[in-house]
């Protein structure tokens, strides 16, 4: 941010800008905030997929087998992996937001550190979950 | 407003309805309450899901028809779609500014979330009451 010019040249003075994304320096806190919204939208679709699964399970053996085949296909596995990462991220970052709502962690260094915890924690969590599931299901 | 001199309405009458709807706090609180519910129920269900050793039909039906599992699942479905409705509502309010399109988006959000929640509840109830 440039220092304000002399009052003699008010027209060239650089006014402070509101934080439009185009002029905003990339920061991890910004990305975690945007990603929280994005993963929220993804998870709304994931919740619909969950209802599809519950409906298939309620409908009987045939629909359930079709559902399992869809989810177990290569594309289904990729989508499911995406949903699990979105869930892990939204879960950890959501807890971070709840902690902040309670009034903690507002100092800038805390804010940056907790942002990175959300990012790295989500990757760790999703890898752990898939390792456990694949090991138990014996199809790694 | 050019004809303000002839406007017989009082300043209070003109200002009324232009401010906050006074229910933002409720939205904020329910977003948090449903978030905590989804976290608690979600952790239980994730544990259940990871504990599964396959996607076998009878096994999955048995898991869902257990009364406690079914209760947590019902709570999760209701809280998750409630939470999704509140979150998507904020996104629509922030990014869609055309009144007609925004209205349609809000209605669609409410209807899809409500219908999906009802369908999910119905599916779980069917499994839980009919059994394996």
């Amino acid at each position: 941010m440039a220092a304000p010019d002399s009052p003699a040249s008010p027209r060239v003075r650089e006014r402070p800008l509101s934080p439009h994304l185009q002029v905003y320096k990339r920061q991890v806190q910004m990305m975690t905030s945007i990603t929280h919204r994005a993963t929220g939208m993804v998870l709304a679709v994931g919740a619909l997929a969950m209802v599809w699964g519950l409906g298939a399970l309620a409908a009987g053996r045939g629909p359930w087998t079709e559902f399992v085949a869809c989810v177990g296909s290569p594309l289904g596995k990729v989508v499911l992996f995406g949903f699990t990462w979105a869930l892990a991220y939204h879960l950890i970052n959501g807890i971070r937001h709840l902690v902040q709502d309670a009034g903690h962690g507002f100092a800038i260094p805390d804010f940056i550190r907790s942002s990175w915890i959300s990012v790295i924690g989500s990757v760790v969590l999703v890898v752990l979950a898939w390792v456990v599931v694949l090991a138990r299901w014996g199809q790694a | 407003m050019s004809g303000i001199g002839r406007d017989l309405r009082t300043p209070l009458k003109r200002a009324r309805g232009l401010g906050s709807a006074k229910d933002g706090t409720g939205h904020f609180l329910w977003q948090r309450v449903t978030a905590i519910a989804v976290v608690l129920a979600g952790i239980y269900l994730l544990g259940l899901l990871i504990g599964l050793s396959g996607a076998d039909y009878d096994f999955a039906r048995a898991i869902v028809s257990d009364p406690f599992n079914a209760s947590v699942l019902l709570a999760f479905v209701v809280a998750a779609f409630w939470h999704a409705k509140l979150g998507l509502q904020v996104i629509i309010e922030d990014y869609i500014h055309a009144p007609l399109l925004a209205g349609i988006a809000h209605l669609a959000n409410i209807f899809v979330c409500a219908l999906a929640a009802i369908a999910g509840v119905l599916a779980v109830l069917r499994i839980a009451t009919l059994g394996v």
Side-chain angles (χ1 to χ4, degrees):
Chain A
M1 198 68 53
D5 284 345
S6 69
S9 56
R11 303 202 60 157
V12 294
R13 185 192 296 170
E14 272 193 31
R15 301 280 183 190
L17 290 170
S18 57
H20 289 298
L21 289 183
Q22 296 92 327
V23 299
Y24 220 55
K25 186 175 159 247
R26 292 284 181 280
Q27 300 171 90
V28 66
Q29 314 93 288
M30 177 177 112
M31 298 317 292
T32 49
S33 175
I34 294 169
T35 312
H36 197 72
R37 281 203 161 181
T39 50
M41 287 196 282
V42 167
L43 289 173
V45 179
L48 293 178
M50 176 190 71
V51 167
W52 170 35
L54 285 172
L57 187 62
R61 204 173 289 275
W64 175 253
T65 311
E66 282 172 28
F67 171 75
V68 171
C70 268
V71 174
S73 68
L75 181 64
K77 272 186 188 142
V78 170
V79 173
L80 191 61
F81 185 83
F83 280 146
T84 33
W85 175 74
L87 182 65
Y89 177 82
H90 204 84
L91 174 70
I92 294 179
N93 201 52
I95 292 172
R96 169 174 167 256
H97 275 297
L98 287 173
V99 171
Q100 286 168 350
D101 289 340
H104 303 289
F106 274 100
I108 291 174
D110 295 347
F111 219 77
I112 293 173
R113 193 182 314 122
S114 63
S115 286
W116 281 112
I117 289 176
S118 290
V119 174
I120 297 166
S122 69
V123 175
V124 171
L125 193 62
V126 82
V127 167
L128 267 179
W130 275 86
V131 164
V132 171
V133 165
L134 289 180
R136 281 192 66 96
W137 289 35
Q139 47 180 243
Chain B
M1 273 204 181
S2 57
I4 201 155
R6 288 183 299 164
D7 194 344
L8 295 180
R9 289 178 300 175
T10 65
L12 177 64
K13 174 66 183 168
R14 262 183 274 120
R16 217 167 241 165
L18 296 178
S20 137
K22 306 266 167 144
D23 57 15
T25 311
H27 184 286
F28 177 93
L29 285 177
W30 279 114
Q31 184 86 75
R32 270 73 192 168
V33 171
T34 52
I36 294 168
V38 166
V39 168
L40 295 178
I43 287 174
Y44 178 83
L45 293 175
L46 275 180
L48 209 62
L49 210 59
I50 288 174
L52 292 179
S53 50
D56 177 63
Y57 174 75
D58 297 305
F59 192 47
R61 295 271 303 197
I63 292 281
V64 175
S65 56
D66 173 84
F68 189 76
N69 292 348
S71 304
V72 177
L73 203 47
L74 286 176
F76 182 80
V77 167
V78 171
F81 279 107
W82 193 347
H83 188 79
K85 181 263 169 191
L86 294 172
L88 291 173
Q89 178 191 340
V90 175
I91 292 173
I92 295 168
E93 287 166 353
D94 280 357
Y95 301 125
I96 302 182
H97 302 302
L100 180 65
L101 193 61
I104 293 171
H106 280 301
L107 276 178
N109 177 29
I110 294 168
F111 290 166
V112 169
C113 285
L115 197 62
I118 291 168
V121 167
L122 185 65
V124 174
L125 284 180
R126 255 184 90 187
I127 299 166
T129 50
L130 291 180
V132 178

